[in-house]
Amino acid sequence: MKFSVPIFDVKNLSFVLKEQTILSNISFEIFPSEYIAIIGPNGGGKTTLVRMLLGLEKPTNGEVKIYGKGLSHFNEWYKIGYVPQRASLVDGSFPATVLDIVNMGRTSQRRLFSTLSKSDRTFVHDAMQKMDILDLADKMVGTLSGGQRQRVMIARALASNPKILILDEPNTGVDAASQKNFYALLRELNKKDGITIVFITHDIGVIADDIARLFTINQKAIICNNPKQTLSCEEMSSLYGIDAHLLHNHRHEH
Amino acid sequence: MLEMFEYDFMQRAFIAGIIIAILASISGTFVVLRRYSLIGETLSHSALLGVAVGLVAEFNPLWSAVLFALFAAWLIEYLRSAFSLYSDAVLAILLSGSLASAVIIVSLGGAFNNSLFSYLFGSILAVSSDDIVVIAVFGAISLFLLLLFSKEFYFIAYDEEVAKTSGIKVDFLNLLLVSIVAIIIALSIRVVGSLLISALMIIPTIAALQFRVGFLKTVLISLCIALLSVFSGMTLSFHFSLPSGATIVLCVLFIFILSLVINRR
């Protein structure tokens, strides 16, 4: 690998919940500017893995390091933008305009006793511009479509000026056209801005040309360093639990 | 109408009422958005236990109410995190436990009288000068902390996990919020009463949410509703000799129904 210092260094990670093994002995590294896709069957442990990377779950065994530090010693969390699975499912009655939500992306970096600074506002403006939601600034977030909400949640993540963006299937309730734009945007964030992307998805066929590596997670992990060739059908079938030929065919349709 | 301000007790009641309306409505916004609405009910009963102890031990019940409400707030957070108990069950256990203990203590101490009644339902006659000082000092500290961390509380209310992953000290701020709420509830017990205070916290925010506006406007509408309810409730309480807490709550309920009608879709 050409990069020397990994952003994430995961060693022998296991997670056991109520005597059921969710993840077993997983090790990998993620380097700056990589675009990683994570696939696997529902219940295979994808979300649990990402939650452990973010410190939201404690591993039963093993260790996660971010920029060489253990999670409890890492204090530059603003470098990580996280868009969770339910991101576009907004509580419609929550009193928040689009601007209120994107401003949240600057909250953890503000100094005590200070409101948003000029540079905070610039980051917020730039993130909204990038997501093409400037004209929605004063709209209540509960009134937006699924695709618009998705862009708002990513704008909030981008407002903190992250070095790494972690997205957990943020496509729930989003129409096909918006999804296509969304994949193009992720490609641009990765290629132009150099943002590292870790993306849990089912649509591996659509983004196969963009990604650097593919992690297939189903209790164990198989890391595929050349996703354009993807995994062999046999490996994919045993991991994914479905007929992998469908996945390959799906990919060629796009 | 203005002749009621010729009475010292009414001046004190209005000063206390205005401070409480400000504190209850602003903290109430975070409590409702955080889905903590039931905590107010439990903490107010814990504050009542503090009042019972204060009455029997013969020192200012407001101090013991603050201490007991704070202790209950911390106990709730501890029980939630240390044991896998249902949150609402923890609240129900503490609520009934506090009320039962308060009744036993007051009964044993022979203090079952009008004084306790005024703490249950609020009384504009009951606010002393000492109370005003306690309410003003603790109220100022609570308001300062609420405003200082308002952006963090707002983010946590919207999405606790994303707030946590962005580096916000969520556990500490959750504890701080329930502590502030505990103090505000204990301070409010004189004017609004322990059985009714959570209504003044929750209903103005629920009414403000009907207008479907951004966060700052929601807080401001909630504040106006709380002030209007306290002002009209205490005025009615003075003219018709009614318990102030009950009249305030009926006023806030009336405004809530109005806001539902105005914003009907």
Side-chain angles (χ1 to χ4, degrees):
Chain A
M1 185 59 67
K2 60 183 171 178
F3 306 106
S4 53
V5 182
I7 293 179
F8 283 107
D9 185 0
V10 173
K11 282 203 172 71
N12 307 320
L13 208 62
S14 297
F15 187 73
V16 179
L17 185 68
K18 292 176 183 165
E19 295 177 15
Q20 191 188 349
T21 302
I22 309 292
L23 291 169
S24 169
N25 206 22
I26 289 179
S27 299
F28 58 80
E29 292 170 322
I30 296 176
F31 293 89
S33 301
E34 276 200 296
Y35 188 157
I36 308 280
I38 299 180
I39 60 167
N42 291 331
K46 307 185 293 292
T47 296
T48 306
L49 174 66
V50 160
R51 288 173 63 80
M52 285 198 286
L53 293 183
L54 292 162
L56 293 172
E57 301 280 1
K58 283 206 171 96
T60 312
N61 281 308
E63 189 184 22
V64 176
K65 281 186 176 171
I66 308 184
Y67 289 106
K69 289 180 180 171
L71 290 183
S72 54
H73 295 104
F74 182 68
N75 52 15
E76 295 173 303
W77 288 100
Y78 61 88
K79 287 184 175 173
I80 298 171
Y82 172 46
V83 184
Q85 205 164 16
R86 66 197 178 286
S88 57
L89 304 171
V90 177
D91 171 5
S93 61
F94 197 90
T97 62
V98 167
L99 188 61
D100 285 336
I101 298 286
V102 183
N103 278 341
M104 287 176 186
R106 301 301 303 170
T107 303
S108 69
Q109 291 175 71
R110 80 179 182 109
R111 290 205 186 112
L112 224 52
F113 301 106
S114 68
T115 53
L116 289 182
S117 68
K118 203 175 168 185
S119 81
D120 287 330
R121 287 179 213 283
T122 307
F123 279 119
V124 168
H125 179 273
D126 290 352
M128 290 175 73
Q129 194 168 43
K130 199 166 274 175
M131 298 313 299
D132 196 21
I133 53 169
L134 277 173
D135 55 331
L136 302 176
D138 296 324
K139 286 242 186 222
M140 294 297 290
V141 76
T143 65
L144 303 180
S145 71
Q148 287 171 326
R149 288 176 190 182
Q150 183 192 53
R151 282 189 277 153
V152 173
M153 298 311 150
I154 294 163
R156 178 183 64 188
L158 291 178
S160 70
N161 194 24
K163 302 283 173 273
I164 176 163
L165 201 53
I166 298 181
L167 307 113
D168 185 356
E169 291 188 88
N171 291 345
T172 319
V174 178
D175 61 273
S178 301
Q179 283 192 37
K180 205 175 163 192
N181 292 338
F182 170 62
Y183 295 136
L185 176 96
L186 288 186
R187 188 187 314 131
E188 188 187 311
L189 288 172
N190 177 248
K191 296 277 184 284
K192 267 174 79 177
D193 301 332
I195 294 177
T196 309
I197 291 176
V198 177
F199 184 25
I200 296 184
T201 180
H202 282 301
D203 288 343
I204 184 60
V206 192
I207 58 167
D209 290 337
D210 302 330
I211 60 178
R213 286 191 291 158
L214 175 70
F215 293 7
T216 310
I217 306 289
N218 187 13
Q219 201 180 65
K220 290 181 184 299
I222 286 191
I223 313 288
C224 177
N225 288 321
N226 191 354
K228 284 178 187 163
Q229 292 171 356
T230 58
L231 300 167
S232 73
C233 286
E234 289 71 28
E235 281 175 316
M236 194 79 105
S237 294
S238 67
L239 273 164
Y240 221 97
I242 60 169
D243 186 348
H245 288 93
L246 290 174
L247 278 169
H248 285 258
N249 291 338
H250 178 63
R251 191 188 145 202
H252 292 305
E253 285 168 14
H254 294 270
Chain B
M1 191 171 120
L2 287 175
E3 76 270 11
M4 65 183 174
F5 291 110
E6 288 168 11
Y7 299 96
D8 283 352
F9 76 89
M10 277 311 283
Q11 291 173 8
R12 289 196 296 271
F14 267 89
I15 294 170
I18 287 167
I19 297 173
I20 286 159
I22 295 168
L23 294 172
S25 58
I26 296 178
S27 64
T29 311
F30 296 112
V31 167
V32 169
L33 296 181
R34 194 73 191 78
R35 310 282 164 115
Y36 271 179
S37 295
L38 266 179
I39 276 192
E41 203 63 53
T42 301
L43 293 180
S44 63
H45 285 76
S46 308
L48 189 69
L49 176 57
V51 167
V53 171
L55 283 176
V56 171
E58 293 182 348
F59 53 81
N60 190 341
L62 213 50
W63 285 101
S64 46
V66 168
L67 285 179
F68 274 75
L70 261 180
F71 177 73
W74 295 337
L75 189 62
I76 290 167
E77 283 301 297
Y78 170 73
L79 289 175
R80 276 178 170 181
S81 57
F83 301 94
S84 52
L85 295 169
Y86 293 113
S87 294
D88 54 346
V90 169
L91 296 180
I93 291 165
L94 263 166
L95 187 154
S96 41
S98 300
L99 186 59
S101 309
V103 170
I104 295 288
I105 287 171
V106 168
S107 177
L108 287 176
F112 231 131
N113 51 28
N114 278 341
S115 181
L116 184 73
F117 188 81
S118 77
Y119 284 103
L120 284 172
F121 301 107
S123 167
I124 47 177
L125 296 169
V127 183
S128 69
S129 300
D130 282 353
D131 292 338
I132 293 282
V133 174
V134 176
I135 290 171
V137 171
F138 279 99
I141 296 169
S142 304
L143 186 63
F144 173 74
L145 289 171
L146 271 179
L147 296 179
L148 185 61
F149 293 110
S150 60
K151 288 192 167 56
E152 284 79 2
F153 289 142
Y154 181 54
F155 194 174
I156 293 169
Y158 186 74
D159 194 328
E160 180 169 344
E161 287 200 336
V162 176
K164 203 170 194 172
T165 59
S166 76
I168 289 173
K169 308 278 181 226
V170 170
D171 294 339
F172 165 73
L173 288 169
N174 279 341
L175 192 63
L176 184 66
L177 181 62
V178 291
S179 304
I180 293 170
V181 169
I183 291 171
I184 291 172
I185 282 174
L187 296 178
S188 312
I189 209 166
R190 270 285 200 224
V191 178
V192 190
S194 70
L195 296 184
L196 298 165
I197 172 59
S198 70
L200 189 61
M201 267 189 162
I202 308 306
I203 300 174
T205 299
I206 302 287
L209 285 175
Q210 306 308 314
F211 290 86
R212 293 171 197 274
V213 289
F215 175 62
L216 192 60
K217 284 181 186 165
T218 302
V219 174
L220 289 176
I221 293 172
S222 168
L223 177 63
C224 291
I225 292 172
L227 284 170
L228 187 62
S229 310
V230 165
F231 189 86
S232 46
M234 293 218 292
T235 307
L236 290 171
S237 167
F238 174 79
H239 286 292
F240 298 101
S241 300
L242 297 167
S244 53
T247 43
I248 289 171
V249 169
L250 284 185
C251 288
V252 77
L253 265 176
F254 177 72
I255 299 173
F256 169 63
I257 292 167
L258 268 186
S259 70
L260 274 184
V261 173
I262 292 169
N263 295 291
R264 193 175 50 183
R265 302 187 177 204

